[in-house]
Amino acid sequence: MMRLRKILGWCLASLLLLIAALMLFLVLFDWNLLKPTINSRVSEALNRPFAIEGNLAVTWQRERDEPGLRAWIPWPHVSAEQLSLGNPEWAKGDHFVSLQRVEASLSPLPLLWKTVSIPRIHLTGADAALERLADGRDNWTFDLGEQEQPDEEPAAPWIMDIGTIGFDKAQLRYDDQTLQASVSLLVQPLGEPIAFDEIVGKTASQRDEAVVTPQDYAFAWQAKGRYKGQALTGNGKIGGLLALQDARQPFPVQADVRAGTTRVQVAGTLTDPKNLGALDLRLRLSGASLGNLYPLTGVTLPDTPAYSTDGRLVAQLQDPDGPLFRYEKFNGRIGDSDIHGDLTFVAREPRPKLSGTLVSNQLRFADLAPLIGADSNAEKKERGAASVQPGNKVLPVEAFQTERWRDMDADVSFTGKRIVHSEELPFTDLFTHVVLNAGMLSLEPLRFGVAGGRLDSTLRLDGRGTPLKAEAQLRARNFRLRQLFPSVEVMQSSLGALNGDATISGTGNSVATLLGSSDGRVKLLINDGRVSRNLMEIAGLNVGNYVVGRLFGDDDVEINCAAANLNIRQGVLKPELMVIDTENALIGIDGTVNFGNEQLDLTITPESKGFRVFSLRSPLYVRGTFKEPRPGVKAGPLVLRGAGMLALGALVAPAAGLVALVAPSGDQPNECAPLLEQMRQGANR
């Protein structure tokens, strides 16, 4: 028994001596002797040159934060200086990343189950150069060679478990030919940390006590370069400790970036950075035109005046249907119009989709002009439009960028609660539902409130091919004449209304080319109105002012009915019927309006009622261009073309086509009904 005790004692003493000798060896060992082996093995594994050129050391310390007996187990703390990892042969730079110093602590017990657990890594003096070629090759993807032999049983893999990464001053150069990006980034410590709430404020998500409070901002960053062909500059702040394993630990980010005329400001958090999990940011967006966002983001938006928005951006980057971005409860301005709403963008396949609801409480009508290229040349240049409107053209020539329509789908509703235009042309409100699907753009409905009535329309634009194909249907009902012209005193006693229908189709990539190739029909009726030179002056119609002055002098004249049935073929509008029935004359209008070359050739012929003598003894004409129309009096004998055709019954069919527009306007009789009946009866004479 005594002999057994001595044997066990000697064994225990030997084991303790061996452990002590091993610990002494580990403490005194010069780890720099292993650098050649480590450099060679890592270089071979990564297929890249790797080197530790400075001191390599290992110290052993207990982790007092560990529970129970584990707090007595010493951990190895590794430090290495002057590290570098090279590039693949095709890359430009000498190295992919270099570090002045790396410090890491290694948990020893998880090694028993093939887990390399590194709770903390601290990087000092990082310098990285990221590069990607146009063919997709990049220097941050490593060629690790064959991981296993096909005929062999695969070995159980080792697991890398990294807790947090800390860093100090760092430099990053990013050159990506696929994104057309070349950016240099510098990160350096702030003098004093800045509290998260001091920059972002107390957000809704952080009012929940269960949510982990974000860390302070610890580093400032600056960026400079080019992106998508535009100059890029930026600055901001980030936290100092990146938690890779704790998905709940938010990492604070703040940025102010300018690319071309676009400015993006964000402040908030990134969670689950290991998997790029989610973003919760306050986003401020501003620029010369929303259309300028397309080359930067790939999101197809219309051309607009200068804009600014402010809202909350929430992103779920690992959503099964694709990265999901929600811009929630944002407010802003587009031109002089306010804008509010919620938008959702899903980066799905085969095309991303934008959906949401937008509202403008006060919409300035002029802010809609860039949608069709109808803004001024100065405004076009301000928003960066490539085409400039020719000085001799009225119809917008700026081309629709239909190739962008095929890159994204959309389903967005827009409401303009109050439209600000002018007192002379009172559009009151707007609603439209915009649907974009594989290049097919539809606005169904596109609805305006106008002068107490409604303008209901549908617009379909097929941008799947070139040129664009367009179809439009419009229905105007009960436009009250006294509301159409509220500043004209003589119109305030009018109880009449305007009704109309139009169907138009065309082909072309601008408003000018669409109308220049258009086919269709337009029908209009105006019942019980008044006309005067004063009305023409207020409306800014110089030609109308001339014509009214020649026909009626300076007097206000009652209009019983104005009727038009117009035909459009290959961009040329020609009246089949266009008459104005006044208290003392019947006026016919004939000729053509050519949208292709913007030329006018119209004849206005009056026929006196009863024995009233007209001061005008010859027809009028309007010729010239849309930009510079030239009115005048036709020389020669009076030609009663147009109005005289009524007696021949030649306008029976066009008149019959307008009967559907004869609708009651209050309790007063509709004066257009007798006129149309007279035309129909003319065929039986």
Side-chain angles (χ1 to χ4, degrees):
M1 188 67 177
M2 182 64 67
R3 182 180 179 85
L4 180 59
R5 288 181 179 178
K6 288 183 178 181
I7 293 174
L8 291 175
W10 278 107
C11 290
L12 180 59
S14 300
L15 179 60
L16 292 175
L17 182 62
L18 181 62
I19 293 173
L22 179 61
M23 293 298 298
L24 184 63
F25 171 79
L26 293 175
V27 170
L28 299 179
F29 181 73
D30 184 1
W31 294 92
N32 289 292
L33 297 176
L34 295 180
K35 286 194 305 183
T37 301
I38 295 174
N39 292 344
S40 176
R41 293 292 180 86
V42 174
S43 298
E44 181 180 354
L46 299 181
N47 199 23
R48 303 269 190 95
F50 172 81
I52 302 175
E53 299 176 354
N55 185 53
L56 176 63
V58 178
T59 59
W60 297 79
Q61 300 176 12
R62 289 186 300 166
E63 294 291 323
R64 301 187 183 277
D65 294 336
E66 289 292 301
L69 294 176
R70 296 173 60 179
W72 292 90
I73 301 176
W75 287 24
H77 292 256
V78 182
S79 64
E81 299 176 351
Q82 304 300 321
L83 294 87
S84 67
L85 178 61
N87 267 320
E89 295 181 355
W90 53 263
K92 297 178 183 177
D94 295 331
H95 69 273
F96 165 57
V97 64
S98 65
L99 296 161
Q100 293 181 4
R101 182 179 177 85
V102 176
E103 298 177 81
S105 57
L106 176 66
S107 179
L109 291 180
L111 294 173
L112 298 177
W113 45 86
K114 290 191 174 183
T115 297
V116 180
S117 177
I118 305 176
R120 294 177 297 278
I121 295 179
H122 189 82
L123 310 177
T124 302
D127 187 317
L130 279 64
E131 184 178 353
R132 179 157 59 183
L133 301 182
D135 60 11
R137 286 181 294 171
D138 62 69
N139 67 344
W140 59 84
T141 300
F142 294 91
D143 179 12
L144 301 181
E146 292 292 336
Q147 298 301 304
E148 61 185 54
Q149 298 298 325
D151 298 332
E152 294 181 0
E153 186 73 18
W158 283 77
I159 299 174
M160 180 71 72
D161 181 8
I162 299 177
T164 60
I165 296 179
F167 48 88
D168 65 357
K169 183 176 180 179
Q171 288 184 323
L172 173 67
R173 292 172 299 282
Y174 181 67
D175 190 350
D176 192 331
Q177 296 179 14
T178 63
L179 296 178
Q180 303 174 44
S182 179
V183 182
S184 296
L185 178 70
L186 174 64
V187 180
Q188 50 191 352
L190 291 168
E192 292 289 339
I194 300 177
F196 180 83
D197 292 350
E198 187 174 331
I199 292 179
V200 180
K202 197 74 171 177
T203 65
S205 62
Q206 291 155 6
R207 295 188 185 106
D208 185 355
E209 296 181 356
V211 176
V212 180
T213 302
Q215 60 184 284
D216 293 342
Y217 290 98
F219 290 88
W221 62 267
Q222 291 182 324
K224 186 176 182 180
R226 297 191 68 81
Y227 179 64
K228 298 290 186 180
Q230 301 187 39
L232 182 144
T233 59
N235 60 79
K237 302 173 184 65
I238 56 175
L241 197 64
L242 194 61
L244 297 184
Q245 293 303 321
D246 188 354
R248 300 171 305 162
Q249 179 66 50
F251 181 74
V253 295
Q254 185 261 334
D256 185 349
V257 179
R258 298 174 186 264
T261 61
T262 300
R263 183 180 184 184
V264 181
Q265 298 170 278
V266 298
T269 60
L270 164 67
T271 55
D272 193 10
K274 180 180 179 181
N275 300 307
L276 286 178
L279 293 169
D280 188 349
L281 306 169
R282 179 181 180 183
L283 170 62
R284 293 176 177 175
L285 198 60
S286 59
S289 170
L290 284 171
N292 294 343
L293 289 174
Y294 176 79
L296 300 174
T297 65
V299 179
T300 302
L301 294 172
D303 290 321
T304 67
Y307 69 94
S308 63
T309 65
D310 186 351
R312 182 187 182 194
L313 177 66
V314 179
Q316 298 295 332
L317 303 178
Q318 299 300 321
D319 191 274
D321 295 331
L324 174 68
F325 300 86
R326 296 196 308 273
Y327 196 23
E328 300 177 343
K329 298 180 180 178
F330 67 86
N331 302 293
R333 302 198 68 82
I334 298 177
D336 292 325
S337 306
D338 66 296
I339 189 74
H340 317 273
D342 298 273
L343 290 173
T344 299
F345 182 79
V346 182
R348 65 178 191 182
E349 294 295 339
R351 291 174 305 278
K353 183 175 182 179
L354 179 71
S355 58
T357 302
L358 302 176
V359 175
S360 176
N361 295 316
Q362 183 163 292
L363 175 65
R364 182 171 170 263
F365 203 79
D367 292 332
L368 299 177
L371 297 177
I372 58 172
D375 48 343
S376 68
N377 283 343
E379 292 169 325
K380 284 181 171 65
K381 289 181 180 179
E382 185 176 342
R383 63 180 170 87
S387 60
V388 176
Q389 185 73 14
N392 63 341
K393 294 289 186 181
V394 173
L395 298 178
V397 302
E398 186 175 338
F400 298 112
Q401 296 174 317
T402 55
E403 68 281 356
R404 298 183 178 183
W405 300 2
R406 305 164 205 148
D407 294 339
M408 191 187 81
D409 294 340
D411 188 337
V412 178
S413 296
F414 176 76
T415 301
K417 293 184 177 180
R418 177 174 178 266
I419 294 179
V420 178
H421 184 279
S422 66
E423 293 183 356
E424 290 76 30
L425 190 57
F427 283 83
T428 56
D429 57 86
L430 162 67
F431 173 78
T432 187
H433 181 204
V434 181
V435 176
L436 177 62
N437 185 16
M440 176 70 79
L441 177 64
S442 64
L443 286 75
E444 298 186 41
L446 174 58
R447 182 182 302 131
F448 289 92
V450 184
R454 306 298 300 177
L455 176 60
D456 292 310
S457 59
T458 61
L459 179 63
R460 297 186 182 93
L461 304 175
D462 188 350
R464 292 173 294 183
T466 303
L468 170 71
K469 297 179 181 178
E471 296 180 359
Q473 293 182 336
L474 299 93
R475 185 175 183 270
R477 291 294 183 270
N478 293 320
F479 289 9
R480 299 295 178 180
L481 297 183
R482 61 184 177 185
Q483 295 183 41
L484 272 174
F485 306 103
S487 300
V488 183
E489 184 177 352
V490 297
M491 294 296 292
Q492 299 313 299
S493 61
S494 171
L495 299 176
L498 179 151
N499 294 306
D501 289 327
T503 301
I504 303 173
S505 62
T507 301
N509 277 4
S510 68
V511 172
T513 55
L514 281 171
L515 290 177
S517 66
S518 60
D519 296 311
R521 185 171 291 275
V522 179
K523 303 176 183 180
L524 291 172
L525 279 185
I526 298 178
N527 177 65
D528 183 23
R530 287 178 179 267
V531 66
S532 67
R533 295 188 68 172
N534 183 39
L535 173 60
M536 296 296 104
E537 290 174 358
I538 291 176
L541 300 176
N542 295 328
V543 172
N545 188 34
Y546 174 88
V547 172
V548 170
R550 285 284 186 172
L551 290 175
F552 310 121
D554 294 327
D555 296 332
D556 298 324
V557 177
E558 291 188 6
I559 296 177
N560 300 321
C561 176
N565 197 332
L566 312 173
N567 187 40
I568 307 175
R569 288 289 179 268
Q570 292 298 305
V572 178
L573 182 147
K574 183 175 178 58
E576 293 184 356
L577 165 65
M578 193 168 184
V579 296
I580 304 174
D581 181 22
T582 73
E583 58 185 326
N584 52 27
L586 197 61
I587 302 167
I589 302 175
D590 195 19
T592 60
V593 176
N594 192 319
F595 292 104
N597 55 20
E598 298 194 6
Q599 292 288 326
L600 297 167
D601 186 5
L602 297 172
T603 299
I604 303 165
T605 308
E607 181 181 285
S608 179
K609 289 184 175 181
F611 295 100
R612 181 167 180 136
V613 180
F614 256 80
S615 60
L616 179 66
R617 306 307 300 169
S618 295
L620 301 177
Y621 66 79
V622 179
R623 296 172 182 163
T625 66
F626 292 3
K627 188 75 172 180
E628 297 181 355
R630 300 190 308 273
V633 179
K634 280 195 173 184
L638 180 64
V639 180
L640 296 180
R641 185 184 180 188
M645 294 173 67
L646 297 177
L648 303 177
L651 302 178
V652 174
L658 297 174
V659 173
L661 297 180
V662 178
S665 301
D667 297 328
Q668 89 285 3
N670 193 301
E671 298 296 338
C672 286
L675 178 64
L676 297 179
E677 181 64 24
Q678 176 187 348
M679 296 179 189
R680 291 201 302 273
Q681 291 176 356
N684 299 321
R685 294 176 183 175

